[in-house]
Structure formats: C-alpha cells, structure tokens
C-alpha cells in the first residue's frame, strides 16, 4: 500500500467516523422523545437510567486512563477543575437538555444546542475582554437569526407558547453550560490528558445525576417497562459512548475543521428523523432557519486566515 493510498484510507475512515458520530449524537434527542412518548417517565429518572447504563463504560475508560507511574499526579486543584467540568459539561448540560426536550421538538432542540460554538466565541471574548472579530460577528448574526426564524415558526404552530419558551430556554441553558465546559477544559486536558479528563468528568457527572435522583425520586421509579430500558441503553451506547470514541478517532485522522464541517449534518439528521420517526413538523421557514444556523456555526468552527482588519 502506497503512502498516498494509506492517507486516502485514513481520510475516508475519518470522514465515516465523523458522520457516524454526528448520527449518534443526533439520535439522542429522538431516543429521549421516544421514551417520553412511550411512558410518562420524568427527565431525572430517564437521565439516571442512561448514566447507569453508561457507567460500566465510564469505569472502563477511567481504568484505562489510570495512573501508571508516568501520568501527572492529581492535585487538589485538578480535582476542582474536574468537578467544574463534570458539573458543566456532563451534568448541567445533560439535565437541562432532558428537561427541555419535555417541551420542544427534537429538531429545534438540536438547532439550539448547535449554537454552542458561537457561545464559546461570545463568552470567550467577554472573559478575555477581546473584541469579536468581523467573521465572528457575521457568524453570530446568521446563527441567531436562524434560531429566531426556527423558533418563530414553532411558536406559530405551538398550542402552548409558554411551554415552548420554557423548553427553548432550558436547552439554551444546556448550550451555555457546554460552552462553559469547553472554555475551561483546554488547560485540564493539556495537563491530565483527554482520556483521563473525560473519564473522571463523566464519573463525577454520574454521581451528581444519581444523587439528584436519590434526593428527588423514589427508588421504585427505576422500575420501568423494558422498552424504556432499551431506549436508555441505546442512549448510553449509541448516543454517548460510541459517538465520543468515533469523534476522537475522526479528529485524529482528518482534523477538527473537517470534523466540524461533517458534524454540521447533525441538526439536519435530527430534523429528518424527527419528521420520520416522531411526526414533527418541518416547514420551509424552519429549514431556512436551520441553514442559517449551520452557516453561522461553520463560520466560527472552520479555520480561517485572519487579517488585522478582523
């Protein structure tokens, strides 16, 4: 096999992994909505089931990433950073999203969540007191203009507008929480490594989810019909663990920029699956709004050559 053929194969595999990861992450909202439709299960119980199903995978990841005498020893400050990442990136982002999906459709949820790169730009500029570049301003205008179109289209169709506003606000809070996680994760990943950071962050999140369940729900709430267990397992494996591993492999093979471009198919996949599997509406205005959101997000996620004028 020549070097060129090997590179082409790596690139092809990377693109496939990125597409499969986008599909897996997109399926999460569909699986959650299917669970809500099948059985009146609350968000905390459903998330607890998902995390319990994923716990063996998290433990295996933590075991693989454990100290072998050469890794950086964990200090008190590291545990504080890991706790912050567990709270923002895996706990708050998840519970707010599950709550929001009780009130809005899967397509709108995925579009709102997909705003997180623009929130990283806004929060990063605010925290570092730097001006927002021209390209970023255009990206923000397109993204939030697209969300406004999609939201207004859903608002026109909604039977209870207050519920739609509440659900959208909860999912937007999830996107903000994930953006805060991304802003804080860089230094921790550089110090501890991506695998160890992810493993401990997910375990901390699992502990928080289970503590919330124990404080708010009876243990009998975990007794659900078998289809709910099946959906929770699918969320754990196909919309949590596998997409995360595939995403990491894709970035290693083809780079974050190309992965971001392929990942932009995620909201479109969710909208399509929402129409086919859930019977959700898809109007021309919604699709236009989705196109604007994707364009804006790609503007801030793909690499660019900045000039002094920016």
């Amino acid at each position: 096999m020549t070097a060129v053929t090997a590179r082409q194969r790596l690139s092809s595999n990377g693109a496939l992994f990125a597409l499969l990861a986008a599909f897996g992450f997109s399926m999460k909202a569909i699986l959650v909505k299917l669970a809500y439709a099948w059985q009146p299960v609350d968000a905390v119980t459903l998330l607890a089931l998902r995390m319990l199903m994923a716990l063996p995978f998290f433990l295996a990841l933590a075991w693989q990433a454990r100290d072998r005498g050469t890794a950086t020893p964990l200090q008190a400050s590291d545990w504080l950073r890991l706790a912050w990442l567990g709270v923002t990136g895996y706990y708050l982002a998840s519970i707010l999203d599950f709550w929001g999906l009780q009130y809005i459709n899967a397509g709108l949820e995925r579009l709102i969540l997909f705003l997180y790169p623009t929130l990283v730009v806004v929060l990063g500029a605010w925290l570092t007191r730097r001006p927002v570049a021209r390209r970023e301003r255009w990206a923000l205008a397109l993204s939030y203009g697209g969300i406004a179109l999609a939201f207004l289209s859903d608002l026109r169709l909604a039977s209870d507008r207050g519920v739609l506003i509440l659900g959208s606000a909860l999912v937007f809070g999830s996107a903000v929480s994930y953006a805060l996680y991304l802003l804080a994760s860089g230094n921790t990943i550089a110090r501890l490594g991506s695998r160890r950071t992810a493993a401990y962050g997910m375990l901390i999140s699992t502990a928080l989810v289970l503590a919330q369940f124990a404080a708010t729900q009876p243990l009998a709430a975990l007794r659900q019909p078998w289809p709910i267990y099946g959906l929770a397992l699918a969320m754990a494996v196909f919309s949590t663990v596998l997409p995360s591993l595939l995403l990491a492999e894709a970035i290693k093979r083809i780079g974050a920029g190309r992965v971001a471009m392929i990942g932009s198919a995620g909201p479109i996949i969710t909208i399509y699956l929402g129409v086919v599997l859930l019977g959700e509406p898809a109007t021309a205005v919604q699709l236009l709004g989705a196109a604007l959101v994707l364009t804006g997000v790609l503007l801030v996620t793909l690499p660019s050559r900045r000039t002094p004028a920016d």
Side-chain angles (χ1 to χ4, degrees), residues 45-46 76 91 124 137 161 199 215 235 277 290:
T45 299
L46 186 60
Y91 169 64
R137 291 195 295 270
R161 294 184 174 184
M235 287 178 221
L277 298 179

Side-chain angles (χ1 to χ4, degrees), residues 125-260:
W126 177 63
L127 291 172
T128 60
R129 299 182 183 276
R130 71 166 178 84
V132 178
R134 182 188 306 145
R135 178 180 178 178
E136 294 169 342
R137 291 195 295 270
W138 275 107
L140 292 171
L142 288 170
S143 297
Y144 290 92
I147 284 293
L149 281 177
F151 178 78
L152 289 174
S153 177
D154 278 27
L155 196 64
R156 183 175 57 84
L157 299 173
S159 57
D160 189 335
R161 294 184 174 184
V163 164
L164 179 67
I165 293 170
L166 173 60
S168 299
L170 287 168
V171 175
F172 186 74
S174 173
V176 171
S177 183
Y178 189 65
L180 290 171
Y181 158 79
L182 290 175
L183 285 169
S185 64
N187 291 336
T188 306
I189 289 174
R191 174 174 164 77
L192 304 178
S194 59
R195 185 170 294 184
R196 190 153 56 140
T197 300
Y200 283 104
M202 287 188 287
L203 287 173
I204 290 169
S205 169
T206 301
L208 291 171
V209 168
L210 296 181
Q212 181 179 3
F213 173 83
T216 61
Q217 305 294 329
L219 187 61
L222 292 177
R223 194 179 303 123
Q224 296 288 333
W226 283 106
I228 299 298
Y229 292 143
L231 290 168
L233 180 61
M235 287 178 221
V237 176
F238 300 112
S239 295
T240 306
V241 178
L242 283 181
S244 299
L245 296 176
L246 288 168
L247 188 65
E249 287 299 315
I251 291 173
K252 184 166 67 176
R253 283 167 166 76
I254 61 177
R258 290 184 65 191
V259 169

Side-chain angles (χ1 to χ4, degrees), residues 78-146:
D78 294 322
W79 283 112
L80 288 174
R81 294 189 187 97
L82 287 170
W84 173 257
L85 297 181
V87 169
T88 56
Y90 302 107
Y91 169 64
L92 272 181
S94 294
I95 190 61
L96 290 172
D97 185 41
F98 272 55
W99 277 333
L101 277 167
Q102 292 179 313
Y103 307 114
I104 64 175
N105 65 48
L108 181 59
E109 177 262 3
R110 182 54 46 178
L111 284 178
I112 295 173
L113 276 186
F114 204 62
L115 290 173
Y116 73 85
T118 67
L119 292 167
V120 170
V121 169
V122 172
L123 292 171
W126 177 63
L127 291 172
T128 60
R129 299 182 183 276
R130 71 166 178 84
V132 178
R134 182 188 306 145
R135 178 180 178 178
E136 294 169 342
R137 291 195 295 270
W138 275 107
L140 292 171
L142 288 170
S143 297
Y144 290 92

Side-chain angles (χ1 to χ4, degrees), residues 64-76:
Q64 285 185 334
R66 72 191 187 282
D67 269 342
R68 299 177 184 270
T70 57
T72 303
L74 288 172
Q75 300 177 359

